[in-house]
Amino acid sequence: MSIFIIKAKKIITVSKKGTIDHGAMVVQNGKIINISTWEKINQKYHQVQVIDCGENIICPSLVDCHTHLLEFAPPSQFPITKETHLLAGKAVLLDALYSGITALGEQVCGNPICDLRVPDLKQAVQDVPMDISFAADCLSIGFQRIIHFSAVTGSTPIPRENLVNKEIIEALATENEYAGENIFITATPANFQKSEVPNAGKLIYSKQELTTIVSIFHDYGKQIGAHAAGEQGIQMALESGFDVLHHAQGITDSQIEKAARQNTKVVVTPLGGPYLESNSLEEILKLVNAHLTVSISTDAFLPPYEKKAVALSNDRKTLMGPEALMAIANPYMKGMLANGYDENEALALITRNPAKVLGKEKHFGSLEAGKDANFLVAEGIPGIDIINPSKIKAVYFRGEKVVSRL
Ligand SMILES: [Zn+2]
């Protein structure tokens, strides 16, 4: 039975307890069993090893609930083959871990390079010290001739009518673990130049089709999310009953109200598609003010279908990987502080809220007794005081130290 106490100048719990000055946390067998002030913990526990983090802070480790790290990142980052694809995928996961991320929401869209399905990927990452939830998606890319893939049909493009094929939708629902961007309501530009993807933003589905797809997922007891941007696409997503909107650039005030009434969650991706403006701070504040569950995610990386796209994603490597999560969240988190929210509420954008999107908020995303001991020791609050992963001194996953810069 392993047990230890870890203390620091400040613990940001992202729970009802808020920030605890001179806080301490008791970790036993990978779980938090007590969290309070050092004074109280010190009175109660004796002869337990104490790790003193001094002037550093402790907070929940980060959650990136919309990524493409295992399918599309490897060939855009490394000169690999089919044989080394998953090894490269793991290298990218390690990068995410270095950046303080211990939970991911991975999209599986159907990979034009190799036939990897959700069960293969799950198997491949079993030994990685992270919580990875997979979304089984259909992908539509807005080339002159729009092409479609799905997580259950592998590397071969599929005709549009297969996107609404009942058996395919049922297979997606079966493999789906959380509400990722399961359905691309509008075609994506991916990371292509605007001239290459003239049909980006084009509606792919009718409302009737979307309603049917949503009800199939719900019949399977699964939540479903949509890639939705622009007023029309967002309206269709809201009216068809999707549980999570990914991107949501251009969401209107009345749509924010509707989303709040329906309890629709929103995942904002500031790196997003290149042809749409990132969500403004004003938009995010409206979502937060309306009590929506808002998450910020990297959407890293996007598919390299041809040389130009590969070059583009390489050029932008430092911007587009999971290491950018704190940096892209920074203006929004600072904006929340400037508008009267506290550090716990701001940090929720990259911890507790994305854990909710993954359906794992009972396990991680905040520091409370009973939850997994997934946390960071850092020189400051991620996304507020620090944006560089080198300022993260240690990362713990289920009570084990998995990254150490101390
Ligand atoms: Zn995406």
Side-chain angles (χ1 to χ4, degrees):
M1 205 157 69
S2 78
I3 182 166
F4 66 90
I5 293 170
I6 188 158
K7 68 192 274 263
K9 189 182 75 174
K10 195 154 104 159
I11 300 183
I12 296 105
T13 67
V14 197
S15 75
K16 286 196 196 93
K17 287 192 176 177
T19 297
I20 304 172
D21 288 321
H22 304 289
M25 196 159 69
V26 188
V27 175
Q28 186 173 35
N29 297 331
K31 301 257 187 214
I32 300 163
I33 60 163
N34 202 343
I35 179 165
S36 187
T37 59
W38 164 242
E39 207 185 344
K40 285 190 181 149
I41 296 287
N42 190 33
Q43 279 168 10
K44 198 168 167 194
Y45 296 85
H46 305 280
Q47 291 177 327
V48 174
Q49 181 208 354
V50 177
I51 301 166
D52 188 347
C53 301
E55 292 298 300
N56 289 311
I57 65 107
I58 292 173
C59 72
S61 50
L62 310 183
V63 181
D64 193 350
C65 68
H66 181 147
T67 57
H68 301 259
L69 302 185
L70 292 171
E71 264 190 335
F72 297 125
S76 73
Q77 301 300 304
F78 303 98
I80 42 127
T81 67
K82 238 180 184 174
E83 279 60 41
T84 42
H85 184 106
L86 286 171
L87 189 58
K90 284 192 177 182
V92 178
L93 295 182
L94 187 59
D95 248 351
L97 199 60
Y98 287 161
S99 311
I101 297 165
T102 62
L104 293 170
E106 254 298 277
Q107 312 309 307
V108 184
C109 299
N111 184 336
I113 297 137
C114 34
D115 268 308
L116 292 168
R117 302 264 304 260
V118 171
D120 307 321
L121 293 168
K122 269 190 89 68
Q123 170 79 22
V125 299
Q126 258 179 1
D127 58 347
V128 176
M130 293 180 109
D131 281 290
I132 307 177
S133 306
F134 290 93
D137 304 342
C138 287
L139 168 69
S140 300
I141 304 172
F143 293 123
Q144 184 66 46
R145 206 174 139 261
I146 299 177
I147 60 167
H148 314 281
F149 292 94
S150 91
V152 294
T153 48
S155 59
T156 323
I158 54 172
R160 202 214 77 102
E161 61 263 31
N162 284 12
L163 294 180
V164 293
N165 175 291
K166 192 163 181 266
E167 276 166 31
I168 290 180
I169 299 299
E170 286 178 340
L172 288 169
T174 304
E175 290 192 359
N176 194 52
E177 297 184 331
Y178 86 101
E181 55 180 346
N182 300 105
I183 301 296
F184 281 63
I185 292 183
T186 51
T188 175
N191 59 349
F192 294 99
Q193 305 288 354
K194 200 170 178 176
S195 59
E196 297 171 286
V197 279
N199 284 315
K202 197 170 177 178
L203 283 172
I204 302 292
Y205 298 83
S206 71
K207 206 186 117 197
Q208 181 57 49
E209 288 170 337
L210 292 175
T211 308
T212 306
I213 292 168
V214 170
S215 68
I216 293 173
F217 269 66
H218 286 170
D219 285 348
Y220 273 72
K222 299 293 178 78
Q223 293 222 330
I224 180 166
H227 166 107
E231 186 175 351
Q232 203 183 358
I234 292 170
Q235 191 64 24
M236 287 176 87
L238 289 171
E239 287 177 4
S240 327
F242 280 87
D243 301 290
V244 178
L245 302 181
H246 291 260
H247 313 301
Q249 288 119 320
I251 191 167
T252 66
D253 291 354
S254 65
Q255 290 176 332
I256 291 173
E257 279 173 33
K258 187 169 170 59
R261 279 196 304 274
Q262 297 177 185
N263 211 6
T264 313
K265 300 177 190 75
V266 177
V267 177
V268 168
T269 57
L271 290 174
Y275 82 119
L276 274 176
E277 291 278 318
S278 293
N279 309 70
S280 63
L281 170 61
E282 197 193 348
E283 222 166 68
I284 306 255
L285 286 172
K286 279 183 189 170
L287 294 167
V288 174
N289 288 339
H291 303 293
L292 284 168
T293 299
V294 184
S295 306
I296 293 186
S297 181
T298 60
D299 199 358
F301 300 67
L302 291 165
Y305 278 90
E306 53 184 61
K307 279 189 184 129
K308 203 183 283 174
V310 176
L312 181 65
S313 61
N314 278 341
D315 287 348
R316 297 173 64 184
K317 188 183 170 192
T318 50
L319 286 178
M320 299 192 70
E323 75 286 344
L325 181 59
M326 290 185 281
I328 61 167
N330 177 260
Y332 302 106
M333 291 173 71
K334 284 206 157 156
M336 282 184 69
L337 295 188
N339 282 274
Y341 289 95
D342 85 353
E343 56 204 21
N344 289 269
E345 291 162 310
L347 192 54
L349 296 179
I350 50 174
T351 56
R352 191 185 62 213
N353 294 354
K356 275 188 193 167
V357 170
L358 300 177
K360 299 280 180 68
E361 72 272 24
K362 290 202 177 92
H363 303 286
F364 55 78
S366 57
L367 301 179
E368 290 177 283
K371 293 196 172 160
D372 290 351
N374 298 356
F375 62 91
L376 305 179
V377 179
E379 287 180 19
I381 304 171
I384 296 176
D385 307 321
I386 63 164
I387 57 169
N388 189 325
S390 69
K391 306 279 185 194
I392 294 173
K393 296 298 160 196
V395 180
Y396 285 76
F397 177 72
R398 296 181 190 163
E400 303 279 350
K401 194 197 256 189
V402 290
V403 172
S404 176
R405 295 189 180 94
L406 289 170

